[in-house]
Amino acid sequence: VIPILPLYLERYGVSQWELGLLFASKAICQILANPFMGLSVDKFGPRYPLLLSVLILAASTIAYALGDNFWLLFAARSIQGVASAALMSAGMAMVA
């Protein structure tokens, strides 16, 4: 993501703080969703959250690739954070 971030400044006309928010939105959503995803992995087992998170990551990556405005990119990146929290929780549960 880092090599293409300056291109967003030119293409979408966003400010630098909006670009920083876009870059940080995945990590923020991942940190906030991680405790809830841990509880769902405990409740349902690691198989279903793992499968669901992979499907959501694929869909949000496609949405991010085809996004044409800032808010669609922000939503796709935030959804990637929630799905990656589920992926990490389920993956660690399978390892344990």
Side-chain angles (χ1 to χ4, degrees), residues 18-51:
E18 289 173 328
L19 192 61
L21 183 65
L22 180 66
F23 186 68
S25 64
K26 181 182 179 212
I28 292 169
C29 289
Q30 186 172 356
I31 289 170
L32 292 176
N34 213 8
F36 302 108
M37 293 303 149
L39 291 174
S40 71
V41 168
D42 283 342
K43 185 174 183 178
F44 300 113
R47 174 179 270 171
Y48 297 115
L50 184 69
L51 179 64

Side-chain angles (χ1 to χ4, degrees), residues 34-88:
N34 213 8
F36 302 108
M37 293 303 149
L39 291 174
S40 71
V41 168
D42 283 342
K43 185 174 183 178
F44 300 113
R47 174 179 270 171
Y48 297 115
L50 184 69
L51 179 64
L52 187 63
S53 66
V54 168
L55 294 175
I56 293 172
L57 272 173
S60 64
T61 302
I62 291 170
Y64 190 79
L66 300 176
D68 59 349
N69 64 13
F70 175 76
W71 293 109
L72 181 62
L73 295 173
F74 181 77
R77 190 91 170 131
S78 299
I79 292 170
Q80 281 179 345
V82 173
S84 66
L87 183 69
M88 291 192 69

Side-chain angles (χ1 to χ4, degrees), residues 2-25:
I2 293 175
I4 62 170
L5 285 178
L7 298 176
Y8 283 139
L9 289 172
E10 298 170 9
R11 183 172 180 187
Y12 298 111
V14 297
S15 65
Q16 289 182 351
W17 72 268
E18 289 173 328
L19 192 61
L21 183 65
L22 180 66
F23 186 68
S25 64

